[in-house]
Amino acid sequence: MDVTHRHITKIGREVNRFVNRSVSGFGVGTSEYEFLHAVRKNPGVTQAGVRERLGLDKAAAARRAANLEAKGFLIRKPNPLDGRSQLLFATPKADKLKCSRASMEAGFYEWLLSGLPEDRRTAFCETLDELYQTCKAESKAGFPHVSDYVAGRACENEPAGQEARGN
């Protein structure tokens, strides 16, 4: 049974909703931002590399790259190892967008925690950091422990015949 009621996911979703609304003036949608984030984290990645990381099909990746390039968030450079592909790099405009998003997210979380007394805020942040470190280590290892843990449990609380909903 999920004692968290997936509140971390739900809070994250609301933060994204707020941030997307706040940075809409940049003209970058959620899927484009995800693509851009992959390029920023992996400068010089090919379009195929971004596709692999994000699980995109060829056409979707091509559209996103072209749109981001047209909007001034990406530049392409020839790949010296393969004349057929190009390397993708984020522009300073993309860095500005990233800083804006990060600032908005930080502000939202500061606001959210501002109503808690200092001792509860400190304890929460310490616990959250422990959870984050565990999550990051598991991710870097390829999720072996959590995969075993959740195998066969995904829909255990759902009534028979119904699929889990994404709420």
Side-chain angles (χ1 to χ4, degrees), residues 32-58:
E32 287 177 328
Y33 184 80
E34 184 179 22
F35 190 97
L36 186 57
H37 181 70
V39 172
R40 287 189 78 260
K41 294 291 256 181
N42 304 281
V45 68
T46 62
Q47 209 167 276
V50 175
R51 281 193 352 252
E52 289 172 18
R53 282 176 175 76
L54 300 180
L56 297 174
D57 64 49
K58 204 172 193 176

Side-chain angles (χ1 to χ4, degrees), residues 41-114:
K41 294 291 256 181
N42 304 281
V45 68
T46 62
Q47 209 167 276
V50 175
R51 281 193 352 252
E52 289 172 18
R53 282 176 175 76
L54 300 180
L56 297 174
D57 64 49
K58 204 172 193 176
R63 278 191 309 274
R64 289 181 192 154
N67 287 342
L68 288 166
E69 185 178 26
K71 293 174 185 177
F73 291 101
L74 284 182
I75 58 170
R76 299 174 198 248
K77 294 183 180 178
N79 185 346
L81 302 177
D82 177 2
R84 297 172 297 151
S85 67
Q86 296 177 320
L87 306 178
L88 303 175
F89 295 91
T91 65
K93 186 176 180 181
D95 292 334
K96 185 177 177 185
L97 173 62
K98 189 262 181 193
C99 289
S100 179
R101 279 193 74 94
S103 176
M104 294 298 234
E105 289 169 356
F108 189 101
Y109 289 123
E110 286 172 17
W111 168 82
L112 191 59
L113 294 173
S114 68

